[in-house]
Amino acid sequence: MKPTLKFGLAATLLALPSMGLAQEAAEAAAPGFDEIGPYIMTTLLFCMAGFLVFFMACGFAMLEGGLVRSKNVTMQMTKNIALYSVAAIMYWFMGFNLMYPGDFNGYVGSFFVPTVLDPVGVAAADAALDYASIGSDFFFQLVFVAATASIVSGALAERIKLWPFLAFVVVLTGVFYPISGSWQWGGGWLSEAGFSDFAGSTIVHSVGGWAALAGAIVLGPRIGKYGKDGKVIPIPGSNLALATLGTFILWLGWFGFNGGSQLAMGTVGDVSDVSRIFANTNMAAAAGAVTALILTQVMYKKPDLTMVLNGALAGLVSITAEPLAPTLFGALWIGAVGGVIVVFAVPMLDKLKIDDVVGAIPVHLLAGIWGTIAVVFYNGDASLSTQLLGIAAYGVFTFVASLILWFILKAAVGIRVGEEEEINGLDMAELGMEAYPEFSRG
C-alpha cells in the first residue's frame, strides 16, 4: 500500500500547478464585485424596501379599522387583505408589463403579458447587471399598486358592497394604474416631456385619491352624516389607538416607499442618497403632524388626534414627489404645508357633502398635488408647467375612467348596501361576522 500512496501523492503534487492555473483562469473569467455588486445591492434594496411597503398594507388596515365604527371593522379587514391579493395577481397577469413595456408608443403598452421571473440560479452573464433581478423589481412595484387600491378602500368605507369594490380593484390595479404609470415611470410621454415624480405623489397617491373621489361622488355619503340643514354630524371611529398604530406603521413603511425609489444602491452616492431620503421623509411627516396639532388647537381650542394622524400622512405624501433634493428645512416646510392642507380640506369636503371616512382625499389627492408642485422648488430640471401638465393628465384620466367604471358597476350590480344593512353594519350584512362580538352581546 505504501508505494501506491507514494505514487498517488506524487501525481497530486505534479497536478497542483495545472490545478492552480485552472483556478486562476476560472477566477479571471468570473465577474468581480465591482461588476456584480450594484446588481446584488440594488436587488437587496428592492427586496428590503418592498417588504417595508408591503407592511403599509397592515398600516392601512389598522388605520381604517380604527376610524370606522365597530360594526364595520371586519369588512375593512376583509377588503384590505382581499385588495392586496387581487392587486398581486392582476399586476402579475398584466399590470407589470403594461406599466413597463420597454419600447412602446408612449401611451399604452401591451395587455395580457404575464410577468416571467429570472431562471433559477441565473448566471451573471445572463442577468441585468446594470439594474436588479426581475423578481425584486416586480415585487417592489407591486406593493405600490396595492397602496393605491388601499386609498380607495378607506374613503368609501361603511357603505360599499364587497364584490363591486373588488371588481373595481381588478381594473384599477390591472389597467388604470399601469397605463398611467407607464407615462412616467415606464418611459412614456410624460417622462419625455420632463415630468418629475420621484416616488409617486401623483402617480400613486393622487391616482388613488382621484379614484376615491369618483367613488365617493357616485356612492354618496353615509346615512346620518349630513343633516337636512346641511349640518355635518361627526361619526367617531371605533378605536383611535388602532388608528394611531396604523399611522405609525404607514410612517415606517414610507421609508421603503421613498428610499427604495432611489432605484440603486451600488455606489457610495446611492447609499448616501437613500439615507438622505429617509431623513427628509421623516422630517416631512413630523412637520405635518405638528402643524396639524397646532392648527387644530388654534381653530377648535383642542387638538384633534385624527387631524394630527392625517397631518403626518399628508406630510409624507407631500415629500414623496421629491424626497432627495430638499434640505431638512425644505422637507420641514413642504410637509408642514401638507398638514395645513388636511386641516382645511377635511371641512371643505364636508361642505361639498363628499363623505370620506378616513380623510384619504385630502391626504392623498390634495397633498399629492401639492407635493408634485413643490418639486420645482428643489429640482432645477422640473418646470411648473410640466408638473401641472402631469397633474392634469393623471387627474383627468383617472377620475373620468374611474367615474365611468363606478357608474357601470352601479348600474350592473349595485355598489351600495341597503339602508337597513348600512344601519346594522356591513360586518353582519355582508360577512355574517363581527370584529367585536362580545360588545354586541352584552
Side-chain angles (χ1 to χ4, degrees):
M1 293 297 294
K2 287 182 180 179
T4 305
L5 178 62
K6 180 178 179 180
F7 291 137
L9 180 60
T12 301
L13 292 172
L14 288 170
L16 281 177
S18 60
M19 290 171 61
L21 291 173
Q23 183 177 357
E24 288 177 6
E27 290 177 353
F33 192 77
D34 286 346
E35 186 177 354
I36 65 174
Y39 175 89
I40 293 172
M41 297 305 293
T42 302
T43 295
L44 182 63
L45 172 68
F46 285 168
C47 290
M48 293 189 302
F51 68 64
L52 278 173
V53 182
F54 165 79
F55 196 40
M56 291 176 73
C58 175
F60 278 115
M62 296 301 97
L63 178 66
E64 294 170 25
L67 293 181
V68 301
R69 288 165 288 183
S70 57
K71 63 184 180 180
N72 296 312
V73 172
T74 302
M75 180 62 156
Q76 289 309 111
M77 301 302 102
T78 304
K79 284 163 58 182
N80 273 275
I81 194 166
L83 72 84
Y84 179 86
S85 303
V86 168
I89 293 169
M90 290 305 300
Y91 206 61
W92 156 76
F93 180 58
M94 60 189 295
F96 183 58
N97 284 313
L98 183 58
M99 188 166 175
Y100 297 97
D103 294 330
F104 74 122
N105 62 14
Y107 293 92
V108 182
S110 300
F111 289 82
F112 308 114
V113 181
T115 302
V116 178
L117 303 178
D118 289 314
V120 176
V122 62
D126 300 320
L129 294 182
D130 60 336
Y131 192 49
S133 71
I134 294 174
S136 67
D137 189 25
F138 165 72
F139 177 64
F140 181 62
Q141 300 301 334
L142 156 65
V143 290
F144 275 58
V145 67
T148 304
S150 295
I151 295 166
V152 184
S153 170
L156 308 184
E158 299 203 303
R159 73 268 200 206
I160 193 168
K161 293 179 180 179
L162 175 63
W163 290 107
F165 169 75
L166 293 179
F168 181 84
V169 171
V170 167
V171 181
L172 176 68
T173 58
V175 181
F176 294 169
Y177 174 89
I179 288 176
S180 61
S182 73
W183 296 346
Q184 168 62 17
W185 290 345
W189 69 277
L190 276 174
S191 175
E192 293 179 354
F195 179 69
S196 179
D197 189 358
F198 191 94
S201 285
T202 283
I203 297 170
V204 178
H205 294 282
S206 285
V207 164
W210 285 116
L213 177 61
I217 291 171
V218 177
L219 195 61
R222 289 168 289 174
I223 295 171
K225 176 63 178 177
Y226 303 112
K228 294 181 179 179
D229 58 353
K231 182 180 179 181
V232 179
I233 301 170
I235 303 178
S238 61
N239 192 330
L240 292 184
L242 205 62
T244 304
L245 173 63
T247 302
F248 273 120
I249 292 173
L250 289 169
W251 192 327
L252 171 66
W254 231 287
F255 295 123
F257 201 99
N258 288 356
S261 294
Q262 174 68 12
L263 303 182
M265 201 168 73
T267 66
V268 171
D270 287 330
V271 176
S272 179
D273 284 352
V274 170
S275 70
R276 183 183 176 98
I277 290 167
F278 275 35
N280 280 338
T281 298
N282 189 71
M283 178 63 82
V290 171
T291 300
L293 179 72
I294 295 170
L295 267 181
T296 51
Q297 174 68 54
V298 171
M299 295 172 64
Y300 306 119
K301 309 306 178 187
K302 291 181 180 179
D304 184 323
L305 174 60
T306 60
M307 288 288 196
V308 175
L309 299 179
N310 277 330
L313 297 177
L316 288 162
V317 172
S318 299
I319 200 64
T320 294
E322 184 47 82
L324 174 60
T327 61
L328 281 172
F329 177 74
L332 183 149
W333 76 263
I334 290 172
V337 173
V340 172
I341 288 171
V342 161
V343 173
F344 285 97
V346 168
M348 179 192 74
L349 284 180
D350 279 334
K351 288 181 180 178
L352 297 172
K353 294 189 177 181
I354 297 174
D355 186 12
D356 176 357
V357 177
V358 302
I361 295 168
V363 167
H364 298 279
L365 173 54
L366 299 183
I369 291 172
W370 154 241
T372 307
I373 294 172
V375 170
V376 302
F377 295 110
Y378 292 96
N379 185 334
D381 296 328
S383 69
L384 179 59
S385 60
T386 306
Q387 295 301 100
L388 293 175
L389 173 65
I391 291 167
Y394 280 95
V396 171
F397 172 76
T398 306
F399 182 75
V400 172
S402 298
L403 199 64
I404 292 170
L405 180 56
W406 284 124
F407 274 123
I408 291 172
L409 290 170
K410 182 179 181 179
V413 295
I415 60 174
R416 182 164 183 155
V417 299
E419 182 176 344
E420 184 178 351
E421 288 85 355
E422 184 175 341
I423 292 171
N424 292 334
L426 275 65
D427 287 1
M428 291 304 296
E430 287 276 285
L431 305 171
M433 61 178 67
E434 298 172 289
Y436 309 108
E438 295 86 354
F439 294 169
S440 62
R441 293 170 189 169

